[in-house]
Amino acid sequence: MNTTRRTLIASAVALAAFASPLVHAQAAPKLKVGLMLPYTGTFAALGTAIENGFRLHVAEQGGKLGGREVEFFKVDDESDPSKATDNVNKLIKRDAVDVLIGSVHSGVAMGMAKVAKDTGTLLIVPNAGADAVTGPMCAPNIFRSSFSNWQPGYAMGEVMAKKGHKKVVTITWKYAAGDESVRGFKEAFQKAGGEVIKELNLPFPGVEFQALLTEIAAAKPDAVYTFFAGGGAVKFVKDYAGAGLKKSIPLYGAGFLTDGTLDAQGADADGLLTTLHYADSLATPRDSSFRLAYAKAYKLQPDVYAVQGYDAAQMLAVGLAAVKGDVGKKAEFAAAVEKAKIDSPRGAFTVSKAHNPVQDIYLRQVVGKENKTIGVASKALTDPARGCKM
Ligand code: PHB
């Protein structure tokens, strides 16, 4: 085609567009969603499940939230807190995202929350439990669709005390999530008269457990409480059984220990009791339809991370619907999410004043490839949000 002809056609198209009432109404600009998640390392599978869940809800809304077509921007944060500020600035400055979704690791999420607070960018945390995010760092533009580290730990403190355990050893990674999970556990366990006789740690994301398992065997506690997740949780559960401890010293944990990990843990996880805001056998109509849709879309079973990603999208949808897609209307956005009931597969939840889910914490037991619900360990558990002034 020669140049004249091409120019003529281009002019004709432009004219038609100008004249057509159909294209007159400007489409709303795309909603830029920045996913800052781990796609490598010990939490890689968690990042993928969160993204899958988020995308599933968006797809169910026809690809739009608040009337705007959703466009994704992604950064692999490598669960590395030292890179968090640079990574979040890539999304804010380079990609000019409207909303940040992230992350899994508590240290990374605190880095994100600081930037979100300073810049006023909307942030929804789809996993990381850092107590500070809905504590001292709380802000009108910061929300969490998951949990605080305190929540599953506190619920398990009550469960283990009720089981009659008196002397417990804790073991976890030395970073915010491990420390806070153990602190929540201790708060409830000690209140009920229990004693923590030893607190064992190793650096994140280390998996050299042998020397620590020897210490557990020597300490002879009634039971062990632990926080591990992802690839590290797989290895810990296998090593605990491999060291012969599973038969003699019952192992308990925050439910991340056995969530999204059961295929890899196999029989070594069988029978373990954990506390979490989700389980595989809730069998409510809401959860069943979610699980079916997720399995169909991804040829995978969903886990707690998939649910949290899905619910981050649901919270965003609720807020955006109230402001008709205008993320600049921050007070109205926050007000809408604050009064919403989020129709989660885990069971409907509301958010606290600090923007953390108020939710039931289930007691679950591993049976085969499932975290079966045994009951509710703690009903409508609210994080104390210590230090949040909002
Ligand atoms: C966290 O760092 O807050 C964290 C990471 C993985 C989990 C749960 C919490 O599964």
Side-chain angles (χ1 to χ4, degrees):
M1 198 191 294
N2 66 40
T3 321
T4 327
R5 188 167 151 72
R6 203 179 290 145
T7 314
L8 268 174
I9 291 173
S11 320
V13 168
L15 254 175
F18 186 70
S20 160
L22 276 179
V23 289
H24 232 140
Q26 283 239 319
K30 287 185 179 170
L31 180 80
K32 295 183 172 190
V33 174
L35 300 176
M36 184 163 147
L37 294 166
Y39 293 105
T40 52
T42 200
F43 292 156
L46 289 58
T48 301
I50 289 168
E51 176 174 349
N52 287 347
F54 193 98
R55 284 182 183 269
L56 179 61
H57 184 67
V58 173
E60 287 174 356
Q61 306 309 302
K64 287 186 177 184
L65 298 181
R68 295 170 67 178
E69 203 180 310
V70 175
E71 183 179 20
F72 290 99
F73 295 81
K74 288 168 60 163
V75 168
D76 176 8
D77 67 39
E78 305 167 54
S79 295
D80 186 345
S82 74
K83 296 180 183 162
T85 306
D86 284 347
N87 281 331
V88 75
N89 278 323
K90 277 183 204 157
L91 291 168
I92 294 178
K93 294 186 178 146
R94 181 191 67 193
D95 302 328
V97 299
D98 295 298
V99 52
L100 293 164
I101 306 295
S103 186
V104 167
H105 183 285
S106 274
V108 174
M110 285 191 278
M112 295 182 78
K114 167 131 192 15
V115 177
K117 198 166 174 153
D118 290 349
T119 59
T121 312
L122 181 60
L123 167 65
I124 304 178
V125 178
N127 181 71
D131 291 346
V133 166
T134 53
M137 306 181 85
C138 75
N141 58 312
I142 297 176
F143 299 85
R144 180 150 53 199
S145 66
S146 52
F147 62 91
S148 73
N149 289 321
W150 179 93
Q151 284 178 311
Y154 188 89
M156 187 46 102
E158 294 186 334
V159 168
M160 287 175 70
K162 274 190 207 131
K163 293 228 174 256
H165 299 310
K166 301 273 187 257
K167 291 185 189 307
V168 163
V169 169
T170 63
I171 177 166
T172 188
W173 281 313
K174 185 78 209 148
Y175 82 116
D179 291 347
E180 292 168 0
S181 182
V182 166
R183 207 180 300 146
F185 164 76
K186 267 169 70 178
E187 187 181 329
F189 190 61
Q190 290 174 338
K191 204 189 290 177
E195 189 189 345
V196 172
I197 57 170
K198 193 168 248 181
E199 295 185 37
L200 300 172
N201 295 286
L202 77 168
F204 175 87
V207 291
E208 292 75 32
F209 300 123
Q210 287 311 326
L212 299 170
L213 293 173
T214 305
E215 281 198 60
I216 292 174
K220 295 192 171 56
D222 299 339
V224 169
Y225 173 77
T226 189
F227 166 88
F228 288 109
V234 170
K235 174 105 180 350
F236 183 76
V237 164
K238 295 195 82 65
D239 286 3
Y240 196 86
L245 292 176
K246 196 179 167 206
K247 295 184 293 282
S248 48
I249 307 173
L251 175 66
Y252 298 82
F256 313 107
L257 187 68
T258 57
D259 226 87
T261 56
L262 292 176
D263 282 341
Q265 286 163 335
D268 289 341
D270 232 1
L272 293 184
L273 290 168
T274 63
T275 41
L276 204 63
H277 46 288
Y278 189 59
D280 294 317
S281 60
L282 297 177
T284 57
R286 181 70 182 99
D287 188 47
S288 299
S289 65
F290 163 77
R291 292 182 76 91
L292 197 64
Y294 190 92
K296 239 174 139 172
Y298 304 110
K299 313 282 175 264
L300 279 173
Q301 288 305 311
D303 54 21
V304 70
Y305 310 104
V307 170
Q308 294 167 172
Y310 187 81
D311 291 340
Q314 293 210 83
M315 287 165 70
L316 180 59
V318 162
L320 285 175
V323 298
K324 299 197 168 51
D326 182 354
V327 286
K329 293 187 172 159
K330 288 178 199 161
E332 293 96 320
F333 183 103
V337 180
E338 282 163 10
K339 67 167 193 278
K341 202 164 191 182
I342 305 300
D343 188 18
S344 171
R346 77 188 82 172
F349 69 85
T350 54
V351 298
S352 65
K353 271 178 67 185
H355 296 169
N356 190 67
V358 174
Q359 57 194 342
D360 294 349
I361 306 293
Y362 302 102
L363 177 61
R364 311 113 44 88
Q365 182 160 39
V366 176
V367 180
K369 291 290 156 65
E370 283 200 357
N371 287 288
K372 291 252 186 235
T373 323
I374 293 194
V376 174
S378 201
K379 186 96 196 129
L381 188 62
T382 309
D383 180 86
R386 296 176 183 121
C388 169
K389 293 187 188 69
M390 193 162 64

